[in-house]
Amino acid sequence: MALATRQDTPPTRKPPVRHTSGLRGFWGSTVGKKTVMAVSGLIMLGYLVAHMIGNLKIFFGTDEFNGYAHWLRTMGDPVLHYEWALWIVRVLLLAAVVGHGVAAYQLSRRDIRARPVKYAHKRKRASYATRTMRWGGIILALFIVWHLLDLTTLTVNENAQHGKPYENVVATFSTWYGNTTYIVAMLAVGLHVRHGFWSAAQTLGVGNATRERVLKALANLLALALTVGFLSVPVAVMTGLVG
Amino acid sequence: MKLTLRVWRQKNPDTPGEMASYDVDNISADMSFLEMLDTLNEELILRGDDPVAFDHDCREGICGACSLVINGDAHGPERTTTCQLHMRSFSDGDTIDVEPWRASAFPVVKDLVVDRSAFDRIIQAGGYVSVPTGAAPEAHATPVPKADADFAFEHAECIGCGACVAACPNGSAMLFTSAKINHLNVLPQGAPERETRVLDMVAQMDDEGFGGCTLTGECATACPKGIPLPSIAAMNKEWLRANRKAKR
Ligand code: HEM
Ligand code: SF4
Ligand code: FES
C-alpha cells in the first residue's frame, strides 16, 4: 500500500469526504461531467449521421435537395406547426453543444492543474486522435459558428439566396476558403469521433474487455463514414459533378 | 556497465529541484534498478554528499512502495515494478533519466520520494468491507461464482503504487480507484456498501485533486499488475448505477 511519507502532516489532515447526492453531486464529479460529455456527444453524433445522409441528397438534383430542406421545416406536420420540429432539434443541439463545451472546458482545466510539472524525459504519448481532442473540439466549435453563419443565416455567404439551399451549397464550395474551412473541419470531426465514440462507451460503462474490438471498429467506421460522406459534397462541387 | 544517470534532486517540498548528472561504473546486468541506485548512494555517502532519496520496501514487486519514472516510463521499460526491473534492460553507456511521480496530488517530499497518502484517503473513503470480527467464517458459507472471483482477483492485484497516476497526462487516479472499487463491489462481502463505496471513493479521488479520465490508456500500459483499461468503464458503470439507486 502507498506509504504516508510525511510524518509531520497526518494529524492535521481532514477526514475522508462523503459524496454529495443529487444533481450537484453528479455535475460536481469528474465521472458525472464526463457522462454529460458522453451523452451530449452521442446526441451530436446521432445528429451528424442524419445530417450527413441528408446532405447526400444533393447528388439527386436541385429539386430533391431543396424539397428535402423544405421537408425539414414541415417535419411532424400536421401534429406540429411549421418549423416546430426543426426548432426542437435546434434547442436540443444547442443544449448538447453548450453542455459538452462547458464540461470539456472544466474537465480540461482540472486535468491540467492535476499535472502541473512535465517530465524532463519526453516521449510520444497516446494516439493522434486522442491527443487532438481538445484542439479538435475548439476547431469544431469555431466551425459550428461559421457553418451557421454560412448556410443557416447566410450572413457570410456572399451569393446566397433564401430558400435555395442547393445553390447556396454550390456557392460555398466555389470559394477556396469555403472548401478549406470545411475540409479541415470534417477531418477534425473524423478524428474527434474516432476517439469520442469509443470514449463515450467507456464513460457510460458499456465497454468491457470482450466488446473492446467491436467498439473500436464501430468508432473507426463511424468516423470514416462521416468524414467521407461529408467531404463527398465539396469534392463533387469542385470536380463539377454537382453544380 | 558504465552509465550516466540524470536524477531529479530536490531538498524538500518547498525548494525547487533540478536534474543532476551522475556517472556510475561497475554496474552488473543482474543488478536490479534499485541496487544500481544503492551503488550510486554508497558512492555519494563516501564522497560526503547527500544520497538520493527513493521509496522502496519489499523489493519483491508486491508492496507498491517503489516508484520512479525511468526514461519517461513509470517503473521503466519493462512491465514490472522498479524493484523488479533489472539492469539487463539497459546497455553500457546509456544515459538514464530518473524522475519522481508527477501529479499535484502526489507532492514531492524529497528527491524521488512523493507523498502518496492521497491513495490511503481514497481507501479510507470506502475501500474496505465492514464485517464482524471473530473466527474466520466457514469458506463455503458465502459462494462466489468463478467469474466474479476471477474479476475480483484481477483487481485485487493492484498494489497501490501510483504508476497509473504518474503515467496519466491528466494525473488521474481512475485506474487505481477502479481497481479497488471493482475488487470489492463484485463480491457478496462488498454488497452492503456497494453504492456508498463507489460514490464516496470517487468523491474522495476528486477531492484530492486528481484529474479526470480521457481514455488515453497510459495508465493501463504502465500498470505493473496489468489492471486493464476497461476497469475504469466498470467503475463508471457502478457509479452511474449507484446514482440511480440513490434517487429511489
Ligand atoms: C463544441 C465543440 C466541441 C468541443 C469543444 C469538444 C471537446 C471535447 C473534449 C475536450 C472531449 C474530451 C476528450 C477526451 O476525453 O480526451 C470530447 C469528447 C467527446 N466529443 Fe466532443 N467536442 C466538441 C464537439 C463535438 C461534436 C460535434 C461531437 C459529435 C460527434 C462530439 C462528440 C464527442 C464524444 C462522443 C466525446 C466522448 C465523450 C466521452 O469521452 O465520454 N464532440 N469533446
Ligand atoms: S492500478 Fe496498477 S499502476 Fe495503478 S496503483 Fe494499482 S498497481 Fe499501481
Ligand atoms: S519495493 Fe515493493 S513493489 Fe517494489
Side-chain angles (χ1 to χ4, degrees), chain B residues 169-182:
Chain B
N170 312 317
S172 172
M174 292 230 181
L175 196 68
F176 163 77
T177 311
S178 73
K180 297 302 173 194
I181 290 169
N182 294 339

Side-chain angles (χ1 to χ4, degrees), chain A residues 100-162:
Chain A
H100 196 82
V102 171
Y105 173 76
Q106 294 186 350
L107 283 174
S108 299
R109 290 256 335 242
R110 182 191 177 90
D111 294 349
I112 293 164
R113 265 203 310 268
R115 185 59 183 284
V117 186
K118 302 258 170 303
Y119 288 110
H121 189 105
K122 299 269 175 308
R123 68 171 180 82
K124 210 177 127 225
R125 283 171 194 278
S127 74
Y128 190 72
T130 311
R131 283 183 283 126
T132 51
M133 287 305 272
R134 287 178 195 152
W135 279 109
I138 292 169
I139 290 176
L140 289 181
L142 293 175
F143 172 75
I144 292 170
V145 173
W146 181 80
H147 191 57
L148 289 174
L149 293 176
D150 181 38
L151 287 167
T152 306
T153 65
L154 310 179
T155 321
V156 297
N157 199 335
E158 281 160 16
N159 309 312
Q161 300 158 277
H162 274 281

